[in-house]
Amino acid sequence: MTDAIGRVQQIQQTLTQLSAPATTTPAVKTASTSASATAFADALAATASGGTINNPGVTGADVTAAAQKYLGVPYVFGGEDSTGMDCSGLVQRVFADLGIDVPRVVQDQMKIGTEVPSLAEAKPGDLLVSRGGDHIAIYLGDNKLLHAPRPGKDVQIVDVYMSEAEIDTIRRIVPADVAPQSTALAGVSGLSGVSGLTGLAGGLSGLTGMTDPSSASLSDLIAAAQSALVKGRNA
């Protein structure tokens, strides 16, 4: 039993280490779903410096969907709700709807998240800022953007009209896709419901021969933990 409990503690420590990057909402610099934990942490730090992330798991697709709810809203300088909004007010409102606080004006919005090197690498949900920080828009993909253009116009979708030279910066606030690690770790979230180690230890039969759980693959640990959870609850 002592050995079993020791193994449980090792697994819990390992899962804690593996799950640490997934407890916050990172903004990745690339769209690759194999982005490293370091890239996620760096991106998160950059985004957090300009606002607060309250909704882990938001992706670029969520941003574009939320933005399209405001199509047709009239441009109003200083506006930031469905009665009227300007370009930065639209951006702030869209992210607020998703539980992410960003600054109010373009000059601050263009400093958060991580920078995307070129328009060719932009992904849906990224922010395009014109040269000099005069205007900001939400990239939808397929060479389309959504923005609140100017007085007399409504929030609309248009072709990207800015050339690479006319773009000051492209910012990625949330990842283009959900990282596999975040999805996988969700499967062990129920471990918090196990009240004691004795019942959990009884479910460690799947770890036979695993002398060092910390060296096991994530999938092995998850499978073992899930098995332990079921047996622990039935003990």
Side-chain angles (χ1 to χ4, degrees):
M1 179 59 71
T2 300
D3 292 340
I5 293 176
R7 290 182 180 180
V8 171
Q9 293 172 332
Q10 287 180 310
I11 291 172
Q12 289 178 322
Q13 292 171 355
T14 302
L15 289 175
T16 298
Q17 293 170 352
L18 288 170
S19 62
T23 58
T24 54
T25 301
V28 297
K29 190 178 176 77
T30 71
S32 171
T33 55
S34 60
S36 69
T38 299
F40 272 93
D42 291 344
L44 172 61
T47 302
S49 67
T52 303
I53 302 173
N54 301 315
N55 190 1
V58 174
T59 67
D62 297 319
V63 173
T64 61
Q68 292 181 62
K69 295 186 301 182
Y70 295 105
L71 286 172
V73 172
Y75 180 97
V76 173
F77 181 75
E80 50 192 37
D81 58 36
S82 58
T83 64
M85 53 183 60
D86 57 19
C87 64
S88 57
L90 169 64
V91 168
Q92 185 186 51
R93 171 51 53 192
V94 167
F95 281 94
D97 288 348
L98 297 171
I100 300 174
D101 298 330
V102 301
R104 174 61 182 85
V105 298
V106 178
Q107 287 72 22
D108 293 327
Q109 292 174 351
M110 65 188 291
K111 300 173 184 177
I112 63 174
T114 56
E115 186 166 31
V116 177
S118 68
L119 185 58
E121 298 174 67
K123 297 294 182 181
D126 291 347
L127 302 179
L128 306 183
V129 182
S130 64
R131 182 65 61 185
D134 295 327
H135 189 63
I136 192 167
I138 299 172
Y139 186 63
L140 300 180
D142 297 325
N143 200 46
K144 301 288 185 182
L145 60 79
L146 184 150
H147 68 158
R150 61 181 183 274
K153 295 289 186 177
D154 298 337
V155 174
Q156 59 187 251
I157 296 174
V158 299
D159 292 333
V160 175
Y161 58 86
M162 294 178 279
S163 67
E164 200 79 53
E166 294 171 321
I167 295 176
D168 192 302
T169 184
I170 302 172
R171 312 302 297 186
R172 184 161 299 160
I173 311 304
V174 297
D177 302 290
V178 175
Q181 185 177 8
S182 299
T183 303
L185 286 170
V188 298
S189 61
L191 283 172
S192 60
V194 179
S195 59
L197 290 178
T198 302
L200 183 58
L204 290 175
S205 58
L207 292 179
T208 302
M210 187 183 294
T211 58
D212 184 9
S214 65
S215 66
S217 68
L218 179 58
S219 59
D220 288 338
L221 286 170
I222 291 173
Q226 289 174 327
S227 175
L229 173 61
V230 172
K231 294 182 179 180
R233 284 177 173 170
N234 293 333

